[in-house]
Amino acid sequence: MTTTFDVPDVPAERLPELLRAMPKAELHIHIEGSLEPELIFALAERNGVKLPYADVQALREAYAFTDLQSFLDIYYAGASVLLQEQDFHDMAMAYFRRAAADNVVHAELFFDPQTHTARGVPMATVVGGLHRACQNAKVECGIDASLILCFLRHLSEADAFETLQEALPYLDRIVGVGLDSSEVGHPPEKFARVFARCGELGLHRVAHAGEEGPPAYIWSALDVLQAERIDHGVQAVHDPALMRRLASARIPLTVCPLSNQKLCVFPDLAEHNLGALLDAGLMATVNSDDPAYFGGYMNDNFLQVFAATGLDARHAYQLGRNAFEASFTSDAARQGHIARLDAVFDSFR
Ligand code: ADE
Ligand code: ZN
């Protein structure tokens, strides 16, 4: 661990209180994955969309996943209720309100425009609704929010280029690009040229890699896509040279414990390698991924992985600080967030 802050010893019984209270940055949240079943049904009703589930309970019962693909099939079906600008706004506002209750003060939202443009929803509608919510988030929830456009890796390079073209008028509303969806069989190399173009356009670049896929995908996310952060990255532990690279280059990993559990990457949360990543000096962070589908928002992720794996206050501080350091924000905002993080930890002395 690399911080000079003197982290107080916090007794185990006060650790949950500290985890809840600490200000947080969320760097890995698919906003379509924040759609709760109740909101899916409300939007279906508002838009006259017929769902293949009888009710909220039947939909929730379908959330029994065996791997990433089994989840993605339901996740894309859920997103089909999003049609109007207001829908995208309302979805994001519901997330911001929930995140604020967990003391999230900075959030970078992934969104999947191809899921919507393929259904005839214009890019302007998607970005317009999400951007308006990001502006409201600051006023209503005290959250600094920004948007990261993700390309769906199961689709073609040409499709990604077309999506980038459609997004060009809105680049001032997007902080970066990412790569998500079905990982295995869709290596980063497929998107080398589109990511290079995004770099020329001045966009930050991140990529899902090493969620289910091999360490080789993490190497190529770094070396071919020039990814600044790796989303998930938990498979890095199988490659000691990669672990050394990630630690020495201080590449942030946006780890999502409950997602990993629900998608059977680590079926038993007690086996999660978050502590091993931190103890090896990697810049890991905690995030919720798709909280409506995986049974928990930020505090649930922190509380459950800490309880299951026995992490302590030093780990909590490092995770909190890593997320602010890894965020795509101004240095002034970052220093302000870290000062407030330090103040909360000081109050537990
Ligand atoms: N899209 C939404 N959630 C995802 C995940 N965990 N991995 C890849 N793509 C996703
Ligand atoms: Zn993800």
Side-chain angles (χ1 to χ4, degrees), residues 28 30 68 71-72 75-76 112 180-182 208 211 232 259 263 289-290 294:
H28 186 160
H30 301 263
L68 174 58
F71 153 69
L72 290 171
Y75 161 85
Y76 293 129
D112 288 340
D180 65 1
S181 192
S182 322
H208 282 55
E211 178 183 13
H232 294 293
S259 164
L263 301 187
D289 205 6
D290 300 282
F294 300 146

Side-chain angles (χ1 to χ4, degrees), residues 324-343:
F324 291 124
E325 289 187 351
S327 67
F328 299 141
T329 191
S330 67
D331 283 341
R334 191 189 330 280
Q335 291 317 319
H337 290 316
I338 291 173
R340 282 183 285 276
L341 177 73
D342 290 0

Side-chain angles (χ1 to χ4, degrees), residues 61-107:
E61 280 167 8
Y63 293 180
F65 312 117
T66 51
D67 58 11
L68 174 58
Q69 193 59 52
S70 65
F71 153 69
L72 290 171
D73 294 341
I74 289 189
Y75 161 85
Y76 293 129
S80 70
V81 300
L82 297 160
L83 290 176
Q84 308 296 330
E85 201 238 36
Q86 191 69 34
D87 304 337
F88 291 91
H89 170 271
D90 293 353
M91 167 175 67
M93 284 314 298
Y95 163 73
F96 288 131
R97 291 182 188 118
R98 186 62 190 74
D102 284 2
N103 288 311
V104 171
V105 295
H106 178 94

Side-chain angles (χ1 to χ4, degrees), residues 156-171:
S156 68
E157 180 199 44
D159 223 313
F161 265 116
E162 199 177 309
T163 301
L164 179 59
Q165 186 67 30
E166 288 170 356
L168 289 180
Y170 312 104
L171 288 193

Side-chain angles (χ1 to χ4, degrees), residues 83-154:
L83 290 176
Q84 308 296 330
E85 201 238 36
Q86 191 69 34
D87 304 337
F88 291 91
H89 170 271
D90 293 353
M91 167 175 67
M93 284 314 298
Y95 163 73
F96 288 131
R97 291 182 188 118
R98 186 62 190 74
D102 284 2
N103 288 311
V104 171
V105 295
H106 178 94
E108 298 178 10
L109 273 47
F110 292 149
F111 69 108
D112 288 340
Q114 288 155 296
T115 306
H116 314 300
T117 54
R119 296 180 290 112
V121 178
M123 181 70 80
T125 301
V126 180
V127 178
L130 295 177
H131 178 68
R132 188 157 58 85
C134 288
Q135 290 178 311
N136 288 348
K138 183 72 194 163
V139 180
E140 193 187 310
C141 308
I143 295 177
D144 292 323
S146 53
L147 298 174
I148 296 179
L149 181 159
C150 285
F151 300 110
L152 299 180
R153 67 200 303 158
H154 68 275

